Amino acid sequence: MADSADSTGRPSRLRKTLAAALASVASAALTVVAVSAATAPANAADCSGGYVGLTYDDGPNPSNTMNLINTLKANGLRATFFNVGQNAQNYPSLVRAQVDAGMWVGNHSWSHPHLTQMSSSQIQSELQRTQQAIQQATGSAPKLFRPPYGETNWTVQSVEQQLGLREILWDVDSQDWNGASTAQIVQAASRLQNGQIILMHDQYAATVQAIPQIAANLRSRNMCAGMISPTTGRAVAPDDGGPVSPSPTIPQSPGTTPTPGGGSGTIRGVASGRCLDVPNASTSDGTQVQLYDCHGQSNQVWSSTSSGEIRVYGSKCLDAAGSGNGARIQIYSCWGGDNQKWRVESDGTIRGVQSGLCLDAVGAGTGNGTQLQLYSCHGGNNQKWTWNR
């Protein structure tokens, strides 16, 4: 038979040829498997839990930035660096190093001033000079801007729009600037949910030391560090490839999660037609908010932040001085408490995150000077508002 042994018991010539061919195919297959194993990631990231935005402000600086970049890379993380313009001009190689490492770069003003205390032209200079410095260092201008101290108002936002910048605040404050320990920074980062952003800084050893544990926590929750979308201002999958996860979602349960930030304007009562107003344009903590004829001046212009705050003058928050019915509504220096966070609901009510109660015109009043309080939500027009933002 053609492929049986010949009379001497040796394999036939056909069998030899077939065996050699099979050996060659097997060898080639093993080579392909070996090459694929060598080039594929050892542990492909599972981002099914979503993406978060890690952000670092105030760099670059020669004493810390490279260490921060290298630690992020070693732990498989990407982040957004909000750079101060004068630092970017002084250390352009560090800005390039951020981009070369796969990080994103945003604008954090030229000199880190209190922008809400400046004129429009001064704000324009702060932002534009930083745009130019970063573009000179990297070849492209930022699309994201974080105001120093998180302070913003309609003047700042107007300049941002002119320059094509998206304002980015934060959902979680690491408190590294306030002396937080590595463990406290890690704990803060563990609260991040899909689409949310954490504030950190590019100058603290504790912040760098927290990175391995932040990375481990994200992996344990099937989450990844993503980019911040210039369109939505939320953390999303990088647009240069990588695993894709569900889009960030905004939880709908009232009284637990604040409304995402964006925009500013007057808040007008549906029943009264009058606006939320800080009497006599006071900036003092504890000043009780009232209804007053709308005039659009700064004491009636309210802006929302990504953490759910409602701010006036950039640095004062709408604040509930309690969590029960009748708790007065006042302005107070923003400090991040849940009594300063709000949800704007689709029915026009504004609910306190801490209390679950609604922003309410006392006594269903509609006149000038009517004060505001928290009260159980009942759907009345004295609890409904339109926010022109």
Side-chain angles (χ1 to χ4, degrees):
M1 295 176 63
D3 55 10
S4 63
D6 63 18
S7 59
T8 63
R10 291 172 297 185
S12 69
R13 191 171 295 174
L14 178 59
R15 181 173 291 178
K16 288 180 180 179
T17 302
L18 181 59
L22 289 171
S24 176
V25 170
S27 175
L30 287 171
T31 301
V32 170
V33 170
V35 170
S36 298
T39 56
N43 292 296
D46 179 354
C47 304
S48 59
Y51 289 85
V52 301
L54 307 180
T55 67
Y56 296 90
D57 289 10
D58 298 351
N61 69 79
S63 64
N64 190 70
T65 298
M66 284 310 305
N67 187 26
L68 177 55
I69 290 172
N70 291 335
T71 306
L72 287 166
K73 286 178 62 180
N75 287 275
L77 298 178
R78 301 175 71 181
T80 302
F81 287 75
F82 285 99
N83 289 332
V84 173
Q86 58 189 7
N87 293 349
Q89 184 180 70
N90 291 336
Y91 306 108
S93 63
L94 292 178
V95 183
R96 287 193 296 272
Q98 292 168 344
V99 174
D100 290 345
M103 310 299 166
W104 299 276
V105 173
N107 183 327
H108 196 41
S109 81
W110 180 259
S111 62
H112 208 280
H114 293 278
L115 293 176
T116 56
Q117 300 174 14
M118 301 175 74
S119 68
S120 179
S121 61
Q122 290 172 321
I123 296 168
Q124 178 97 16
S125 175
E126 283 280 333
L127 274 60
Q128 197 158 38
R129 292 171 71 190
T130 305
Q131 291 291 92
Q132 293 167 352
I134 293 175
Q135 184 164 18
Q136 288 171 2
T138 67
S140 60
K143 297 178 181 179
L144 307 177
F145 170 69
R146 172 170 286 164
Y149 313 104
E151 296 174 352
T152 186
N153 59 20
W154 70 269
T155 307
V156 174
Q157 291 164 2
S158 176
V159 173
E160 293 166 3
Q161 291 176 354
Q162 292 171 31
L163 297 176
L165 289 164
R166 174 78 187 204
E167 184 178 279
I168 304 298
L169 297 177
W170 54 86
D171 301 287
V172 177
D173 184 348
S174 71
Q175 293 283 313
D176 60 352
W177 56 272
N178 199 28
S181 66
T182 293
Q184 289 169 326
I185 295 168
V186 171
Q187 177 60 34
S190 73
R191 301 198 302 269
L192 286 167
Q193 300 299 315
N194 185 26
Q196 291 190 333
I197 297 166
I198 185 171
L199 170 69
M200 294 178 284
H201 293 81
D202 180 4
Q203 64 253 50
Y204 303 113
T207 307
V208 177
Q209 292 163 5
I211 289 172
Q213 294 177 69
I214 291 174
N217 177 266
L218 291 175
R219 285 193 300 271
S220 74
R221 297 192 288 149
N222 297 329
M223 303 186 81
C224 294
M227 63 174 276
I228 300 173
S229 167
T231 303
T232 65
R234 311 300 289 159
V236 297
D239 59 9
D240 53 4
V244 177
S245 77
S247 298
T249 56
I250 301 169
Q252 296 300 311
S253 55
T256 57
T257 306
T259 294
S264 63
T266 56
I267 300 176
R268 188 185 297 258
V270 170
S272 65
R274 293 188 165 86
C275 284
L276 261 65
D277 175 282
V278 182
N280 303 314
S282 171
T283 59
S284 299
D285 285 347
T287 301
Q288 191 161 1
V289 178
Q290 64 179 3
L291 292 178
Y292 206 81
D293 292 332
C294 300
H295 50 65
Q297 298 302 309
S298 61
N299 63 316
Q300 291 187 351
V301 176
W302 304 85
S303 62
S304 59
T305 73
S306 58
S307 60
E309 296 167 335
I310 298 178
R311 294 189 175 209
V312 66
Y313 310 131
S315 61
K316 299 291 183 179
C317 276
L318 194 68
D319 178 287
S323 57
N325 282 340
R328 71 176 186 175
I329 304 300
Q330 60 186 5
I331 62 167
Y332 207 86
S333 297
C334 300
W335 62 279
D338 281 349
N339 67 312
Q340 294 186 343
K341 295 178 181 177
W342 308 85
R343 279 200 61 84
V344 180
E345 303 292 351
S346 59
D347 64 358
T349 58
I350 299 178
R351 295 181 184 238
V353 165
Q354 181 183 68
S355 65
L357 303 180
C358 279
L359 188 65
D360 177 285
V362 172
T366 59
N368 282 337
T370 299
Q371 295 181 330
L372 281 297
Q373 64 179 359
L374 287 179
Y375 206 81
S376 298
C377 301
H378 52 65
N381 282 343
N382 69 310
Q383 292 187 347
K384 294 184 178 179
W385 313 88
T386 57
W387 194 347
N388 301 313
R389 53 177 173 151

